[in-house]
Amino acid sequence: PCRAPKEKPRAEAAPKPRQAPTDEAQMAAAAALARLELKPKGKAPSASQEYIRNQVRKELMAEAAAGEKGLPEEEKDQGEGAAAPSVSGVYFICPLSGAVVRKDQKEKQLREAIQAYFSVDPVAASIMEIHTFNKDREKVRVGVETMAKYLDNIYLHPEEEKYRKIKLQNKVFQERISCLEGTHRFFQAVGFEAKSLPVPGQGKEFPGPEEEQYYVLKEEMLSRLEELKDSKEQLLSSEPLRARLDRQLRVFQPSPEAARFELPNDFYNLTAEEIKREQRLRTEAVEKASMLRTRAMREKEEQREMRKYNYTLLRVRFPDGYILQGTFYARESVSELYSFVRGALRDDWLPFELLGPGGLKLTDENLAFNECGLVPSALLSLCWDAAVMADIEAAGEEQPRSPLRPELLAGIQTLP
């Protein structure tokens, strides 16, 4: 059975400092955690990308995020009353400014934050533009590699004047570079300036335009070739800047309403009208459909259901009744939920398992939520490792009233 640490009455005197878990508890925890080990995450971001993000966090002017931090007051006030939605929408965090914005505002916020960063580091800002706002990844790859070649030629042959001039009407430049957003700002940021130069051999015998447009590297950049090389490496190794899904972490008091969800339209791929129509048709034909559908038809419908949702709202009920809530992508893996829960614990070494609806253990952490039937919402239960809990209890340690972090409990809410 799932057992949580016993709750003891608070003493009037100052509480005694907690002792570390006993050797037996630590050994049991290590064994349990080995069984529940989270799968390795994807590769870490490149050094240059990390550098850009660190610089942004350190140097981005406060006014870039002024007025944007947090949710609007009118949206914070939503959720009161029986008919209030479980969340007011899907929100994202801008990695540059830290602003929290609704999903339909995330690209606008990214553009504003990158624009603000031009006053801090124009090279990095232009690279962000190139990788973030050009959606065709193959065109970006080809364009970036061509731009890097231009810079390489200058770095390797600084004495060759021809490499320091780029003809803007050149077919390769037009087809691979000029068509991409941010590329012109990049060339200007790394030390090129636009100039009109006479066309060689142009005259009365060969009529045509007398001048053509070029990017010409400024003379002073010849003494700063290492900077040019660094800019090239940064250009090649950077990735698109993505707004991060805001988990909207909430902790709720124990409630019999934990399994009731009221989701806003943000959670669906369908329009509100399509959702209502589909729900009505499903209600009318549920018995008939269950009788007539073949297995192949059911599987096809399940696949269609999986694609219907972009996000899922998940709640985890602890043995003491407290409820932890967060927003996830429907295609994220179960391992993300384990990490989310572990990050909310006062003692993150405590091993646990999560049980889905019906008590089914979520043991395969590689599965996506929409593959487990955990979309567009679900209530799960947390179960402590019984052996570890028994050992801690036997050791006589004084346990806090909840395993959740104190700062989360300080903001505890009541389910609408």
Side-chain angles (χ1 to χ4, degrees), residues 251-302:
V251 176
F252 297 107
Q253 297 278 6
S255 170
E257 298 294 320
R260 184 179 69 82
F261 292 87
E262 294 290 341
L263 297 177
N265 294 334
D266 286 2
F267 277 72
Y268 299 85
N269 275 332
L270 298 176
T271 65
E273 291 73 25
E274 290 172 327
I275 294 167
K276 290 176 183 176
R277 179 176 176 273
E278 186 156 318
Q279 287 175 336
R280 178 173 53 80
L281 292 175
R282 185 181 303 162
T283 302
E284 292 173 355
V286 63
E287 287 189 14
K288 182 179 177 182
S290 61
M291 291 167 52
L292 298 179
R293 286 181 306 168
T294 65
R295 179 177 177 180
M297 290 168 66
R298 286 196 302 270
E299 289 177 352
K300 186 175 182 180
E301 183 171 313
E302 286 169 4

Tab-separated table of all heavy atoms in Angstrom, residues 251-302:
chain	number	residue	atom	x	y	z
A	251	VAL	N	-0.434	24.375	-6.746
A	251	VAL	CA	-0.682	23.380	-5.711
A	251	VAL	C	-2.060	23.676	-5.129
A	251	VAL	O	-2.371	24.833	-4.794
A	251	VAL	CB	0.391	23.422	-4.606
A	251	VAL	CG1	0.049	22.439	-3.492
A	251	VAL	CG2	1.760	23.086	-5.179
A	252	PHE	N	-2.880	22.630	-5.011
A	252	PHE	CA	-4.242	22.793	-4.517
A	252	PHE	C	-4.465	21.996	-3.244
A	252	PHE	O	-3.845	20.956	-3.017
A	252	PHE	CB	-5.261	22.335	-5.567
A	252	PHE	CG	-5.233	23.142	-6.830
A	252	PHE	CD1	-4.703	22.611	-8.001
A	252	PHE	CD2	-5.730	24.442	-6.866
A	252	PHE	CE1	-4.679	23.355	-9.178
A	252	PHE	CE2	-5.704	25.190	-8.035
A	252	PHE	CZ	-5.174	24.644	-9.187
A	253	GLN	N	-5.393	22.496	-2.451
A	253	GLN	CA	-5.834	21.774	-1.258
A	253	GLN	C	-6.533	20.474	-1.690
A	253	GLN	O	-7.051	20.378	-2.803
A	253	GLN	CB	-6.825	22.634	-0.472
A	253	GLN	CG	-6.272	23.934	0.068
A	253	GLN	CD	-5.521	23.730	1.371
A	253	GLN	OE1	-5.322	22.605	1.829
A	253	GLN	NE2	-5.091	24.835	1.971
A	254	PRO	N	-6.554	19.476	-0.808
A	254	PRO	CA	-7.330	18.258	-1.135
A	254	PRO	C	-8.749	18.626	-1.526
A	254	PRO	O	-9.365	19.512	-0.928
A	254	PRO	CB	-7.288	17.478	0.183
A	254	PRO	CG	-6.021	17.920	0.855
A	254	PRO	CD	-5.881	19.374	0.503
A	255	SER	N	-9.253	17.972	-2.579
A	255	SER	CA	-10.574	18.328	-3.088
A	255	SER	C	-11.218	17.146	-3.790
A	255	SER	O	-10.557	16.419	-4.535
A	255	SER	CB	-10.459	19.498	-4.070
A	255	SER	OG	-11.677	19.712	-4.755
A	256	PRO	N	-12.524	16.946	-3.583
A	256	PRO	CA	-13.224	15.890	-4.329
A	256	PRO	C	-13.411	16.253	-5.800
A	256	PRO	O	-13.845	15.425	-6.594
A	256	PRO	CB	-14.584	15.805	-3.603
A	256	PRO	CG	-14.774	17.165	-2.996
A	256	PRO	CD	-13.403	17.634	-2.613
A	257	GLU	N	-13.089	17.521	-6.163
A	257	GLU	CA	-13.246	17.975	-7.545
A	257	GLU	C	-11.967	17.783	-8.372
A	257	GLU	O	-11.872	18.315	-9.479
A	257	GLU	CB	-13.620	19.464	-7.560
A	257	GLU	CG	-14.935	19.795	-6.885
A	257	GLU	CD	-16.110	19.184	-7.638
A	257	GLU	OE1	-16.098	19.188	-8.879
A	257	GLU	OE2	-17.032	18.679	-6.972
A	258	ALA	N	-11.004	17.042	-7.838
A	258	ALA	CA	-9.695	16.926	-8.506
A	258	ALA	C	-9.796	16.341	-9.909
A	258	ALA	O	-8.997	16.670	-10.785
A	258	ALA	CB	-8.754	16.078	-7.651
A	259	ALA	N	-10.777	15.486	-10.146
A	259	ALA	CA	-10.898	14.837	-11.455
A	259	ALA	C	-11.738	15.648	-12.434
A	259	ALA	O	-11.918	15.231	-13.586
A	259	ALA	CB	-11.505	13.444	-11.294
A	260	ARG	N	-12.240	16.804	-12.010
A	260	ARG	CA	-13.056	17.637	-12.907
A	260	ARG	C	-12.173	18.687	-13.566
A	260	ARG	O	-11.478	19.437	-12.897
A	260	ARG	CB	-14.185	18.317	-12.133
A	260	ARG	CG	-15.128	19.116	-13.029
A	260	ARG	CD	-16.244	19.755	-12.210
A	260	ARG	NE	-15.739	20.804	-11.347
A	260	ARG	CZ	-15.495	22.060	-11.748
A	260	ARG	NH1	-15.699	22.393	-13.012
A	260	ARG	NH2	-15.057	22.955	-10.891
A	261	PHE	N	-12.183	18.728	-14.881
A	261	PHE	CA	-11.364	19.673	-15.637
A	261	PHE	C	-12.247	20.512	-16.546
A	261	PHE	O	-13.140	19.991	-17.214
A	261	PHE	CB	-10.334	18.935	-16.503
A	261	PHE	CG	-9.270	18.222	-15.722
A	261	PHE	CD1	-9.471	16.932	-15.268
A	261	PHE	CD2	-8.061	18.841	-15.453
A	261	PHE	CE1	-8.487	16.266	-14.555
A	261	PHE	CE2	-7.059	18.185	-14.744
A	261	PHE	CZ	-7.280	16.896	-14.288
A	262	GLU	N	-11.976	21.812	-16.558
A	262	GLU	CA	-12.624	22.734	-17.512
A	262	GLU	C	-11.491	23.382	-18.308
A	262	GLU	O	-10.770	24.230	-17.796
A	262	GLU	CB	-13.432	23.805	-16.772
A	262	GLU	CG	-14.625	23.271	-15.997
A	262	GLU	CD	-15.745	22.790	-16.904
A	262	GLU	OE1	-15.747	23.194	-18.093
A	262	GLU	OE2	-16.593	22.022	-16.435
A	263	LEU	N	-11.322	22.938	-19.550
A	263	LEU	CA	-10.180	23.389	-20.339
A	263	LEU	C	-10.561	24.496	-21.316
A	263	LEU	O	-11.611	24.430	-21.955
A	263	LEU	CB	-9.582	22.220	-21.125
A	263	LEU	CG	-9.006	21.079	-20.282
A	263	LEU	CD1	-8.513	19.964	-21.194
A	263	LEU	CD2	-7.886	21.567	-19.390
A	264	PRO	N	-9.689	25.500	-21.475
A	264	PRO	CA	-9.929	26.536	-22.482
A	264	PRO	C	-9.600	26.009	-23.874
A	264	PRO	O	-8.964	24.953	-24.036
A	264	PRO	CB	-8.955	27.651	-22.065
A	264	PRO	CG	-7.842	26.935	-21.376
A	264	PRO	CD	-8.476	25.766	-20.681
A	265	ASN	N	-10.000	26.741	-24.895
A	265	ASN	CA	-9.799	26.298	-26.275
A	265	ASN	C	-8.335	26.168	-26.667
A	265	ASN	O	-7.999	25.486	-27.639
A	265	ASN	CB	-10.505	27.258	-27.243
A	265	ASN	CG	-12.015	27.208	-27.093
A	265	ASN	OD1	-12.573	26.212	-26.662
A	265	ASN	ND2	-12.671	28.306	-27.429
A	266	ASP	N	-7.445	26.849	-25.928
A	266	ASP	CA	-6.016	26.777	-26.246
A	266	ASP	C	-5.500	25.344	-26.291
A	266	ASP	O	-4.503	25.057	-26.943
A	266	ASP	CB	-5.202	27.536	-25.186
A	266	ASP	CG	-5.324	29.041	-25.337
A	266	ASP	OD1	-6.070	29.471	-26.227
A	266	ASP	OD2	-4.677	29.769	-24.570
A	267	PHE	N	-6.151	24.433	-25.591
A	267	PHE	CA	-5.659	23.067	-25.477
A	267	PHE	C	-5.992	22.220	-26.700
A	267	PHE	O	-5.524	21.094	-26.821
A	267	PHE	CB	-6.230	22.400	-24.215
A	267	PHE	CG	-5.456	22.728	-22.972
A	267	PHE	CD1	-5.529	23.997	-22.418
A	267	PHE	CD2	-4.628	21.793	-22.370
A	267	PHE	CE1	-4.808	24.327	-21.285
A	267	PHE	CE2	-3.902	22.106	-21.233
A	267	PHE	CZ	-3.992	23.374	-20.691
A	268	TYR	N	-6.790	22.748	-27.609
A	268	TYR	CA	-7.268	21.948	-28.731
A	268	TYR	C	-6.742	22.468	-30.065
A	268	TYR	O	-6.501	23.654	-30.236
A	268	TYR	CB	-8.807	21.964	-28.785
A	268	TYR	CG	-9.465	21.399	-27.559
A	268	TYR	CD1	-9.689	22.209	-26.448
A	268	TYR	CD2	-9.855	20.072	-27.502
A	268	TYR	CE1	-10.309	21.697	-25.308
A	268	TYR	CE2	-10.470	19.551	-26.376
A	268	TYR	CZ	-10.691	20.366	-25.283
A	268	TYR	OH	-11.292	19.870	-24.169
A	269	ASN	N	-6.612	21.540	-31.009
A	269	ASN	CA	-6.314	21.929	-32.382
A	269	ASN	C	-7.578	22.395	-33.091
A	269	ASN	O	-7.531	23.177	-34.025
A	269	ASN	CB	-5.727	20.740	-33.162
A	269	ASN	CG	-4.230	20.618	-32.957
A	269	ASN	OD1	-3.556	21.613	-32.701
A	269	ASN	ND2	-3.707	19.407	-33.066
A	270	LEU	N	-8.710	21.888	-32.661
A	270	LEU	CA	-9.970	22.229	-33.305
A	270	LEU	C	-10.470	23.589	-32.840
A	270	LEU	O	-10.070	24.081	-31.795
A	270	LEU	CB	-11.026	21.174	-32.950
A	270	LEU	CG	-10.753	19.735	-33.395
A	270	LEU	CD1	-11.845	18.831	-32.881
A	270	LEU	CD2	-10.648	19.644	-34.900
A	271	THR	N	-11.355	24.169	-33.635
A	271	THR	CA	-12.005	25.408	-33.209
A	271	THR	C	-13.059	25.066	-32.162
A	271	THR	O	-13.480	23.908	-32.024
A	271	THR	CB	-12.689	26.105	-34.395
A	271	THR	OG1	-13.750	25.259	-34.875
A	271	THR	CG2	-11.698	26.379	-35.513
A	272	ALA	N	-13.525	26.078	-31.454
A	272	ALA	CA	-14.532	25.856	-30.412
A	272	ALA	C	-15.804	25.255	-31.000
A	272	ALA	O	-16.426	24.368	-30.411
A	272	ALA	CB	-14.840	27.166	-29.709
A	273	GLU	N	-16.190	25.725	-32.201
A	273	GLU	CA	-17.414	25.226	-32.826
A	273	GLU	C	-17.274	23.749	-33.208
A	273	GLU	O	-18.202	22.957	-33.025
A	273	GLU	CB	-17.733	26.048	-34.088
A	273	GLU	CG	-18.162	27.487	-33.816
A	273	GLU	CD	-16.990	28.362	-33.373
A	273	GLU	OE1	-15.821	28.027	-33.714
A	273	GLU	OE2	-17.242	29.346	-32.671
A	274	GLU	N	-16.106	23.383	-33.728
A	274	GLU	CA	-15.872	21.985	-34.094
A	274	GLU	C	-15.889	21.078	-32.878
A	274	GLU	O	-16.376	19.945	-32.929
A	274	GLU	CB	-14.545	21.861	-34.839
A	274	GLU	CG	-14.549	22.466	-36.232
A	274	GLU	CD	-13.166	22.499	-36.858
A	274	GLU	OE1	-12.177	22.664	-36.109
A	274	GLU	OE2	-13.077	22.351	-38.081
A	275	ILE	N	-15.330	21.577	-31.777
A	275	ILE	CA	-15.303	20.783	-30.549
A	275	ILE	C	-16.722	20.498	-30.065
A	275	ILE	O	-17.080	19.361	-29.753
A	275	ILE	CB	-14.505	21.520	-29.452
A	275	ILE	CG1	-13.024	21.616	-29.860
A	275	ILE	CG2	-14.632	20.807	-28.111
A	275	ILE	CD1	-12.228	22.573	-29.003
A	276	LYS	N	-17.552	21.544	-30.024
A	276	LYS	CA	-18.923	21.378	-29.545
A	276	LYS	C	-19.700	20.414	-30.441
A	276	LYS	O	-20.448	19.552	-29.955
A	276	LYS	CB	-19.617	22.741	-29.507
A	276	LYS	CG	-19.079	23.659	-28.417
A	276	LYS	CD	-19.741	25.039	-28.490
A	276	LYS	CE	-19.143	25.980	-27.445
A	276	LYS	NZ	-19.702	27.349	-27.558
A	277	ARG	N	-19.523	20.557	-31.750
A	277	ARG	CA	-20.238	19.685	-32.680
A	277	ARG	C	-19.817	18.235	-32.500
A	277	ARG	O	-20.640	17.324	-32.468
A	277	ARG	CB	-19.954	20.140	-34.112
A	277	ARG	CG	-20.624	19.294	-35.181
A	277	ARG	CD	-20.377	19.878	-36.570
A	277	ARG	NE	-20.928	19.037	-37.608
A	277	ARG	CZ	-20.282	18.015	-38.158
A	277	ARG	NH1	-19.057	17.717	-37.761
A	277	ARG	NH2	-20.854	17.290	-39.101
A	278	GLU	N	-18.495	18.024	-32.353
A	278	GLU	CA	-18.005	16.662	-32.209
A	278	GLU	C	-18.482	16.035	-30.902
A	278	GLU	O	-18.840	14.857	-30.860
A	278	GLU	CB	-16.469	16.650	-32.274
A	278	GLU	CG	-15.895	15.247	-32.268
A	278	GLU	CD	-14.523	15.203	-32.895
A	278	GLU	OE1	-14.312	15.856	-33.930
A	278	GLU	OE2	-13.673	14.512	-32.338
A	279	GLN	N	-18.510	16.807	-29.836
A	279	GLN	CA	-18.988	16.288	-28.563
A	279	GLN	C	-20.461	15.904	-28.645
A	279	GLN	O	-20.879	14.880	-28.097
A	279	GLN	CB	-18.771	17.332	-27.464
A	279	GLN	CG	-17.306	17.487	-27.066
A	279	GLN	CD	-17.089	18.609	-26.067
A	279	GLN	OE1	-17.899	19.534	-25.998
A	279	GLN	NE2	-16.016	18.536	-25.309
A	280	ARG	N	-21.252	16.725	-29.336
A	280	ARG	CA	-22.681	16.433	-29.468
A	280	ARG	C	-22.897	15.154	-30.261
A	280	ARG	O	-23.681	14.284	-29.865
A	280	ARG	CB	-23.380	17.613	-30.159
A	280	ARG	CG	-24.873	17.384	-30.396
A	280	ARG	CD	-25.534	18.653	-30.917
A	280	ARG	NE	-24.860	19.197	-32.077
A	280	ARG	CZ	-25.027	18.733	-33.331
A	280	ARG	NH1	-25.826	17.703	-33.548
A	280	ARG	NH2	-24.391	19.295	-34.339
A	281	LEU	N	-22.187	15.029	-31.401
A	281	LEU	CA	-22.331	13.829	-32.230
A	281	LEU	C	-21.878	12.578	-31.491
A	281	LEU	O	-22.477	11.511	-31.622
A	281	LEU	CB	-21.531	13.994	-33.526
A	281	LEU	CG	-22.049	15.049	-34.505
A	281	LEU	CD1	-21.097	15.198	-35.683
A	281	LEU	CD2	-23.447	14.683	-34.990
A	282	ARG	N	-20.826	12.714	-30.718
A	282	ARG	CA	-20.310	11.555	-29.996
A	282	ARG	C	-21.300	11.100	-28.934
A	282	ARG	O	-21.518	9.909	-28.741
A	282	ARG	CB	-18.973	11.903	-29.345
A	282	ARG	CG	-18.299	10.714	-28.671
A	282	ARG	CD	-16.995	11.117	-28.036
A	282	ARG	NE	-16.104	11.700	-29.015
A	282	ARG	CZ	-15.058	12.448	-28.710
A	282	ARG	NH1	-14.794	12.723	-27.448
A	282	ARG	NH2	-14.275	12.925	-29.650
A	283	THR	N	-21.920	12.060	-28.262
A	283	THR	CA	-22.895	11.727	-27.233
A	283	THR	C	-24.102	11.003	-27.830
A	283	THR	O	-24.599	10.022	-27.276
A	283	THR	CB	-23.381	13.007	-26.517
A	283	THR	OG1	-22.239	13.660	-25.950
A	283	THR	CG2	-24.370	12.690	-25.425
A	284	GLU	N	-24.527	11.460	-28.998
A	284	GLU	CA	-25.704	10.869	-29.645
A	284	GLU	C	-25.436	9.453	-30.141
A	284	GLU	O	-26.332	8.615	-30.177
A	284	GLU	CB	-26.138	11.744	-30.830
A	284	GLU	CG	-26.703	13.109	-30.427
A	284	GLU	CD	-26.955	13.999	-31.622
A	284	GLU	OE1	-26.597	13.595	-32.757
A	284	GLU	OE2	-27.514	15.094	-31.434
A	285	ALA	N	-24.191	9.189	-30.566
A	285	ALA	CA	-23.941	7.910	-31.242
A	285	ALA	C	-23.020	6.973	-30.479
A	285	ALA	O	-22.513	6.009	-31.038
A	285	ALA	CB	-23.341	8.185	-32.629
A	286	VAL	N	-22.790	7.218	-29.185
A	286	VAL	CA	-21.762	6.462	-28.474
A	286	VAL	C	-22.069	4.960	-28.434
A	286	VAL	O	-21.182	4.136	-28.678
A	286	VAL	CB	-21.564	7.031	-27.049
A	286	VAL	CG1	-22.831	6.900	-26.218
A	286	VAL	CG2	-20.406	6.330	-26.351
A	287	GLU	N	-23.317	4.576	-28.144
A	287	GLU	CA	-23.630	3.154	-28.049
A	287	GLU	C	-23.533	2.470	-29.406
A	287	GLU	O	-22.963	1.390	-29.540
A	287	GLU	CB	-25.034	2.974	-27.477
A	287	GLU	CG	-25.110	3.280	-25.998
A	287	GLU	CD	-26.448	2.884	-25.420
A	287	GLU	OE1	-27.204	2.137	-26.084
A	287	GLU	OE2	-26.730	3.329	-24.297
A	288	LYS	N	-24.089	3.124	-30.406
A	288	LYS	CA	-24.057	2.546	-31.752
A	288	LYS	C	-22.623	2.369	-32.236
A	288	LYS	O	-22.268	1.335	-32.801
A	288	LYS	CB	-24.836	3.445	-32.713
A	288	LYS	CG	-24.913	2.929	-34.128
A	288	LYS	CD	-25.720	3.889	-34.998
A	288	LYS	CE	-25.745	3.407	-36.445
A	288	LYS	NZ	-26.483	4.343	-37.309
A	289	ALA	N	-21.801	3.371	-32.005
A	289	ALA	CA	-20.405	3.315	-32.461
A	289	ALA	C	-19.652	2.186	-31.781
A	289	ALA	O	-18.890	1.459	-32.413
A	289	ALA	CB	-19.719	4.645	-32.189
A	290	SER	N	-19.871	2.017	-30.484
A	290	SER	CA	-19.140	0.981	-29.754
A	290	SER	C	-19.522	-0.408	-30.241
A	290	SER	O	-18.736	-1.346	-30.174
A	290	SER	CB	-19.412	1.098	-28.256
A	290	SER	OG	-20.789	0.922	-27.997
A	291	MET	N	-20.739	-0.573	-30.738
A	291	MET	CA	-21.180	-1.880	-31.228
A	291	MET	C	-20.664	-2.165	-32.632
A	291	MET	O	-20.323	-3.297	-32.957
A	291	MET	CB	-22.725	-1.930	-31.227
A	291	MET	CG	-23.335	-1.948	-29.821
A	291	MET	SD	-25.101	-1.638	-29.837
A	291	MET	CE	-25.654	-2.842	-31.031
A	292	LEU	N	-20.616	-1.149	-33.483
A	292	LEU	CA	-20.336	-1.392	-34.897
A	292	LEU	C	-18.859	-1.277	-35.271
A	292	LEU	O	-18.451	-1.835	-36.280
A	292	LEU	CB	-21.144	-0.407	-35.757
A	292	LEU	CG	-22.673	-0.517	-35.636
A	292	LEU	CD1	-23.329	0.523	-36.512
A	292	LEU	CD2	-23.122	-1.922	-36.032
A	293	ARG	N	-18.076	-0.537	-34.485
A	293	ARG	CA	-16.690	-0.300	-34.886
A	293	ARG	C	-15.858	-1.574	-34.823
A	293	ARG	O	-15.928	-2.337	-33.864
A	293	ARG	CB	-16.052	0.758	-33.995
A	293	ARG	CG	-16.515	2.163	-34.265
A	293	ARG	CD	-15.813	3.136	-33.358
A	293	ARG	NE	-15.962	2.742	-31.956
A	293	ARG	CZ	-15.275	3.271	-30.961
A	293	ARG	NH1	-14.365	4.183	-31.205
A	293	ARG	NH2	-15.477	2.874	-29.715
A	294	THR	N	-15.054	-1.768	-35.852
A	294	THR	CA	-14.076	-2.852	-35.820
A	294	THR	C	-12.855	-2.370	-35.051
A	294	THR	O	-12.712	-1.197	-34.737
A	294	THR	CB	-13.645	-3.238	-37.239
A	294	THR	OG1	-12.959	-2.126	-37.824
A	294	THR	CG2	-14.843	-3.608	-38.097
A	295	ARG	N	-11.945	-3.307	-34.776
A	295	ARG	CA	-10.726	-2.934	-34.062
A	295	ARG	C	-9.926	-1.917	-34.861
A	295	ARG	O	-9.398	-0.948	-34.302
A	295	ARG	CB	-9.884	-4.188	-33.801
A	295	ARG	CG	-8.586	-3.897	-33.076
A	295	ARG	CD	-7.828	-5.168	-32.774
A	295	ARG	NE	-6.552	-4.856	-32.144
A	295	ARG	CZ	-5.681	-5.791	-31.775
A	295	ARG	NH1	-5.957	-7.078	-31.962
A	295	ARG	NH2	-4.550	-5.442	-31.211
A	296	ALA	N	-9.825	-2.110	-36.187
A	296	ALA	CA	-9.064	-1.181	-37.035
A	296	ALA	C	-9.683	0.210	-36.998
A	296	ALA	O	-8.977	1.214	-36.954
A	296	ALA	CB	-9.027	-1.701	-38.473
A	297	MET	N	-11.012	0.259	-36.993
A	297	MET	CA	-11.689	1.553	-36.941
A	297	MET	C	-11.421	2.250	-35.607
A	297	MET	O	-11.189	3.456	-35.549
A	297	MET	CB	-13.199	1.372	-37.142
A	297	MET	CG	-13.591	0.951	-38.551
A	297	MET	SD	-15.318	0.431	-38.649
A	297	MET	CE	-16.150	1.964	-38.292
A	298	ARG	N	-11.439	1.462	-34.514
A	298	ARG	CA	-11.167	2.047	-33.199
A	298	ARG	C	-9.745	2.598	-33.128
A	298	ARG	O	-9.501	3.687	-32.604
A	298	ARG	CB	-11.385	1.004	-32.108
A	298	ARG	CG	-12.848	0.695	-31.840
A	298	ARG	CD	-13.020	-0.020	-30.514
A	298	ARG	NE	-12.258	-1.263	-30.449
A	298	ARG	CZ	-12.730	-2.452	-30.834
A	298	ARG	NH1	-13.957	-2.542	-31.323
A	298	ARG	NH2	-11.992	-3.530	-30.736
A	299	GLU	N	-8.780	1.834	-33.676
A	299	GLU	CA	-7.395	2.286	-33.649
A	299	GLU	C	-7.212	3.554	-34.476
A	299	GLU	O	-6.468	4.457	-34.088
A	299	GLU	CB	-6.475	1.172	-34.162
A	299	GLU	CG	-6.353	0.003	-33.193
A	299	GLU	CD	-5.499	-1.121	-33.754
A	299	GLU	OE1	-5.130	-1.057	-34.960
A	299	GLU	OE2	-5.203	-2.070	-33.006
A	300	LYS	N	-7.903	3.613	-35.618
A	300	LYS	CA	-7.813	4.807	-36.458
A	300	LYS	C	-8.387	6.010	-35.726
A	300	LYS	O	-7.828	7.115	-35.771
A	300	LYS	CB	-8.569	4.569	-37.771
A	300	LYS	CG	-8.424	5.704	-38.778
A	300	LYS	CD	-9.088	5.339	-40.095
A	300	LYS	CE	-8.905	6.471	-41.115
A	300	LYS	NZ	-9.548	6.139	-42.405
A	301	GLU	N	-9.494	5.808	-35.022
A	301	GLU	CA	-10.100	6.904	-34.277
A	301	GLU	C	-9.201	7.350	-33.126
A	301	GLU	O	-9.081	8.537	-32.832
A	301	GLU	CB	-11.460	6.486	-33.733
A	301	GLU	CG	-12.176	7.606	-33.003
A	301	GLU	CD	-13.602	7.245	-32.659
A	301	GLU	OE1	-14.310	6.741	-33.560
A	301	GLU	OE2	-13.986	7.460	-31.505
A	302	GLU	N	-8.534	6.385	-32.492
A	302	GLU	CA	-7.618	6.730	-31.401
A	302	GLU	C	-6.463	7.581	-31.913
A	302	GLU	O	-6.030	8.524	-31.251
A	302	GLU	CB	-7.087	5.448	-30.744
A	302	GLU	CG	-8.134	4.756	-29.870
A	302	GLU	CD	-7.688	3.368	-29.452
A	302	GLU	OE1	-6.535	2.993	-29.788
A	302	GLU	OE2	-8.476	2.662	-28.799
